Structures are given as structure tokens and as C-alpha cells.
Amino acid sequence: MSLPLHHLKMTHLRLLAHLAETRRITTAAELTGVSQPTASRLIVEIEAILGQAIHERSGRGIALTVVGAALAARARRILTELQEATTEISGLASGDSGHLQLGSVTAPALSLMLPALRTLRLTHPNITADVSVSPSALLCQELRAGRLDLVLGRPTDARDAEDFTTQPLGTEPVALLVRQDHPLAGTSPAALSDLMRFDWVMPAAPSPLGRAMAHGFAQHDLPPPRQSLTTASFLLTLTMVRQTNAIAPLARAVTDVFCTPGSGYVTLESPLQINVGSYGLMTRKGQAITPALSRLIDQIIRQGQLTSGA
């Protein structure tokens, strides 16, 4: 009577795989790391477990039966999977591999997250990541729920200080983006009265940038621009600026990326000195920091030091 296949041991599987490759008991025994008598005993054990023969003599070697060949093919796949699992686990433990779920608001996504990931890609190509770019409030919800490993953003709720560890990274100054041929382009600096004559593409009032803009206008005793389009769409903002004389306040880290020679965009110098405020690197309190995540955090901090000139 045959026994369940879970009675097979790893030594049985390794011997089967080598028998299929070499067709010789002596060679298969050497590759398995056992003596020839032990290999013969293992074959007897396999056949007892299966209740069927797995080999037959053939000239100077052996030939696997249909059952033996089928089991040997399975044994090779199992051994391969185990080897791959060993490599994967070793990589996860050392930080050489892993998959990260990341979130960031727009400015640090461009100035810190992407450069850090680009560097990490060169040094540790088996570390992969998904990056979500959203407002801080949404990112904090995802971080709290465990769906993100790390957020570059700012606390938005009283619970955030209790739930998250935040490491300050920098502030988010604002620049005014216009098309290259804008009437105010090259004016240094543009007068506030001239700025207010044009349409603006504004962020939503409740957003951090929206609040910062309202505060900046109020500091100069100015109301918000009357003729404005309110949108959270970055693509729509860029399109409006390129196709009209509209002015768009954006994080300077964003305008630094898009205002390159030949891009069609420039920034205006103006008395409006607006800063959205500080942001930081946020993780859950008590969260297990994997080696791969630790490598990314170190790289983000180094990138932040380079950006700030520290």
C-alpha cells in the first residue's frame, strides 16, 4: 500500500532530480551528497511511498519509468521554487529587494522621492515601488490604514501626531508659473497691480496651497483674484498656462522641473513671497521598518540634505 506523498523528504526530491539528469545512481548520489548504498536505499523508500517503481535498469545506467519521470519533473520545480524563495527571503532580509508602497505630495515627490528612487534603482535594482501623489489628508488616511509604508507630506488631523512619527525635511516655497511669452515675463519684479490684472489658475481654497495663497494676498491687503479657474488638476493647470496669459501658483520644486530652456514656461519675480509650510517624512508609530524601506529613507534624507545645501 502506498503512503501519502508528504512522506517524501528533500533528499528524496534532490536524488530524483539528479537521477533524471544523469541516469546514473553513482553520479546522482555524489550530486546529492550521499553514498551509493544510501542512494539505493532512498530509491527503495521512494518506491515504497509511491507504491510503484520509479526506475529500471538500462545498459550501464538506469531509465526512469513514466511515474519516476513525472515525479522527477515535479521535484525539479519544487527545488527551483525553494531556491528562488531562499534568494527572495535573503534579499528581503538584507534590503537588497522588496516592494514599497509610497505616498507624497507633489513638491517632495519631484524633489526628493523620485531622485531617491532613481538612485536606489541603480544601487538596488530589485527594490521596486508604487508611488501615489495626492493631498496630505488622503495620504495620511492610507498610511494609517497600512496601505502605504511611507508618506512625504504634512499632518492634517489631530490624530496624526499620535499615530505617526514625522521627521521634518523642508519647506515648500511657491513660484508663479506663466508661459514664456507672457506680458509680464522678464519684468523684475512684477508689480502686484499688474499681477492682479490677469487670470489665475488657483488651487482649491481648503488645500494647503490655497490657504497659503489667501494668506499671501491678505498680507498685501489684496483680495483673491476675481478672474480665476480653480482646479486640482496639474495637467489642466499646465495647459491653461501654456495657452493663455493665466498665472498659476505652484510649488517651486515643480516649477524648477518644468521651467527649463525651451520648455515654454517661466516663473515671475514678484513681491508675493509665499510658502506652503514645512513637510516631513511620515511613518506609523510602531511600524516595522523593513531593510528596503530603511534604505529608501536614508536616501531621501541624503537627497534632502543635498537639496537644502546642508
Side-chain angles (χ1 to χ4, degrees):
M1 179 179 178
S2 61
L3 298 173
L5 288 181
H6 67 253
H7 284 274
L8 287 172
K9 302 175 183 177
M10 291 301 300
T11 309
H12 292 140
L13 298 179
R14 285 195 292 269
L15 180 63
L16 272 169
H18 292 314
L19 281 173
E21 294 169 2
T22 65
R23 307 293 181 176
R24 288 181 171 275
I25 294 179
T26 302
T27 307
E30 292 176 356
L31 292 173
T32 306
V34 298
S35 64
Q36 181 173 345
T38 299
S40 298
R41 177 176 57 78
L42 289 171
I43 292 173
V44 172
E45 290 177 359
I46 295 170
E47 292 180 335
I49 291 170
L50 294 177
Q52 299 187 57
I54 64 165
H55 79 295
E56 56 189 19
R57 294 289 177 180
S58 175
R60 295 184 178 180
I62 64 167
L64 294 179
T65 64
V66 173
V67 171
L71 187 57
R74 294 277 185 179
R76 281 197 298 271
R77 287 199 290 271
I78 291 170
L79 293 170
T80 299
E81 287 285 340
L82 287 172
Q83 181 58 49
E84 291 175 353
T86 300
T87 301
E88 180 179 358
I89 291 170
S90 176
L92 290 171
S94 65
D96 291 332
S97 65
H99 186 72
L100 304 174
Q101 299 287 348
L102 310 171
S104 179
V105 294
T106 303
L110 294 175
S111 62
L112 297 180
M113 184 75 79
L114 289 184
L117 286 173
R118 187 167 58 243
T119 300
L120 204 61
R121 176 65 180 168
L122 296 175
T123 58
H124 296 82
N126 291 324
I127 295 178
T128 58
D130 290 335
V131 181
S132 174
V133 179
S134 298
S136 287
L138 178 58
L139 295 175
C140 287
Q141 292 177 11
E142 295 294 290
L143 181 61
R144 183 175 288 107
R147 289 187 284 270
L148 292 176
D149 301 313
L150 174 152
V151 162
L152 299 186
R154 51 183 61 85
T156 59
D157 187 278
R159 295 179 300 164
D160 293 348
E162 300 176 1
D163 295 342
F164 305 140
T165 298
T166 302
Q167 179 172 348
L169 290 175
T171 59
E172 195 173 346
V174 176
L176 302 181
L177 184 74
V178 295
R179 65 184 178 90
Q180 186 173 350
D181 297 327
H182 192 279
L184 296 182
T187 304
S188 180
L192 288 173
S193 58
D194 289 335
L195 291 173
M196 302 305 286
R197 291 192 295 107
F198 292 92
D199 293 343
W200 287 61
V201 185
M202 294 289 288
S207 69
L209 178 55
R211 292 194 298 269
M213 290 302 302
H215 180 69
F217 289 128
Q219 282 186 315
H220 293 275
D221 297 321
L222 294 171
R226 290 183 180 180
Q227 296 177 318
S228 64
L229 168 69
T230 301
T231 180
S233 169
F234 185 58
L235 179 60
L236 183 58
T237 297
L238 290 179
T239 302
M240 283 292 295
V241 168
R242 180 178 285 276
Q243 295 181 356
T244 70
N245 285 331
I247 301 170
L250 293 170
R252 186 169 295 278
V254 176
T255 62
D256 286 347
V257 171
F258 285 92
C259 293
T260 56
S263 67
Y265 298 104
V266 295
T267 57
L268 297 178
E269 292 187 33
S270 84
L272 286 173
Q273 299 298 313
I274 298 172
N275 198 307
V276 177
S278 61
Y279 60 86
L281 189 156
M282 305 170 66
T283 54
R284 292 183 303 279
K285 287 185 177 179
Q287 173 182 346
I289 305 298
T290 65
L293 183 58
S294 180
R295 289 186 186 278
L296 176 65
I297 290 173
D298 290 344
Q299 192 59 50
I300 288 174
I301 293 172
R302 282 196 291 270
Q303 184 64 36
Q305 292 170 344
L306 290 173
T307 301
S308 65

